[in-house]
Amino acid sequence: MKRIIAALAALFFAYDQYADPQAGAITAQNSTQYGNEVASPPVKNSTREKGGKHRLAYFSFKQNGVGDIGSTCLLVTLPAGKVRLLKPDGKYVCSAFGAGRTLSLGNAAYIASDGTPVAAAVDNISDSADVSAAAAVNMGAGANALGTDPTILFDSKNGVVLQATVEVGTIPDAATLSGYFVYVIE
């Protein structure tokens, strides 16, 4: 047994001589939320980060008259306060808007809980989805909607209006759009 341990130790030290000192190391690090849980004393995570309840905001829209490029459809208002939108959990279906048409979903401008104005973000939930033909679209897709976080934390004084914007082409009369957003609050 001693010879086996000695042989393994020799192999380890021989390998260690040739290891690249610039190479990375295996690490074990904590997310902010896990760090809060193991802190002494523990720090409670908000319910928007752990233990919150999923809520659904359903919308159904039908266009009245032709809308030019840049036309918006105001869909739902998220509640005031801190609300975490789960982008990839949302989905919508639409009728055919016509050749070359794209649709983006985002939020209208709003007032943050501290009174600061927050600019609109027309494509932070779904970015330039092809709606030329009837489509079923999962939100959280597209360059601007992907971002670095699959969620958006809104902190508003009076709520946040979520909207759809026709970015390329027009929206035809009687076009339909229905779906839902999923968010966490409480």
Side-chain angles (χ1 to χ4, degrees):
M1 182 66 159
K2 287 183 182 180
R3 288 195 335 215
I4 293 173
I5 292 173
L8 289 173
L11 283 173
F12 173 75
F13 290 116
Y15 172 76
D16 194 43
Q17 294 177 42
Y18 300 105
D20 180 1
Q22 299 297 319
I26 295 173
T27 65
Q29 300 177 11
N30 299 336
S31 69
T32 302
Q33 292 71 22
Y34 182 75
N36 288 343
E37 293 174 10
V38 298
S40 182
V43 176
K44 185 172 172 72
N45 289 310
S46 77
T47 55
R48 289 165 307 285
E49 295 173 352
K50 184 175 181 182
K53 295 179 181 177
H54 284 141
R55 304 287 184 197
L56 183 85
Y58 174 79
F59 58 88
S60 177
F61 173 83
K62 184 174 182 180
Q63 178 70 15
N64 184 10
V66 175
D68 289 336
I69 188 170
S71 294
T72 59
C73 315
L74 303 179
L75 304 172
V76 299
T77 302
L78 296 179
K82 291 184 179 180
V83 175
R84 185 171 300 277
L85 180 72
L86 308 175
K87 292 187 283 189
D89 290 355
K91 187 171 190 156
Y92 69 87
V93 295
C94 66
S95 60
F97 281 26
R101 305 312 200 275
T102 65
L103 188 69
S104 290
L105 275 65
N107 60 274
Y110 65 96
I111 303 297
S113 61
D114 66 2
T116 307
V118 178
V122 298
D123 58 3
N124 62 343
I125 300 171
S126 179
D127 184 10
S128 300
D130 179 0
V131 293
S132 55
V137 179
N138 292 320
M139 297 182 202
N144 292 333
L146 278 174
T148 57
D149 191 339
T151 72
I152 300 173
L153 180 61
F154 293 108
D155 186 5
S156 69
K157 189 172 188 173
N158 302 312
V160 178
V161 175
L162 302 182
Q163 64 186 14
T165 304
V166 179
E167 293 194 310
V168 176
T170 59
I171 182 170
D173 184 35
T176 59
L177 174 68
S178 62
Y180 56 89
F181 298 98
V182 178
Y183 62 95
V184 178
I185 192 169
E186 193 171 289

